[in-house]
Amino acid sequence: MSDETPPAAGLTTGALARRLGVSPTTLRSWDRRYGLGPAVRERGRHRRWSPEDIAMVEEMCRLTAAGAPPAEAARVTRLGRGPAGRAEPAAAVTS
């Protein structure tokens, strides 16, 4: 069985970490510190990252790679999330 699951089920933290080139610990830390984790979780199951969640952490990676401090990158990334926790288009972030 592969870590790469069908898009409807989402990616595991390990699969997403490999895709982004960061460690699973980094993703868990961003979730804990900045609230940048999967929007939906099932009790007793592994985190599954939806396409919207993936877009959010991709933006976090882009901003930190460009030199933004992680806390500031997380703040800007969270601004791009709509009220239901879904990612908004990057153009919606104007601050």
Side-chain angles (χ1 to χ4, degrees), residues 22-45:
V22 300
S23 74
T25 302
T26 297
L27 292 175
R28 290 185 201 103
S29 175
W30 288 350
D31 183 10
R32 219 176 23 258
R33 291 180 183 175
Y34 309 120
L36 299 179
V40 177
R41 295 189 185 151
E42 294 182 31
R43 186 178 168 107
R45 301 216 174 197

Side-chain angles (χ1 to χ4, degrees), residues 79-81 86-93:
L79 287 174
R81 292 193 109 187
R86 294 192 180 125
E88 296 288 330
V93 180

Side-chain angles (χ1 to χ4, degrees), residues 64-78:
T64 55
E72 179 63 13
R75 185 188 70 76
V76 170
T77 298
R78 280 194 313 270

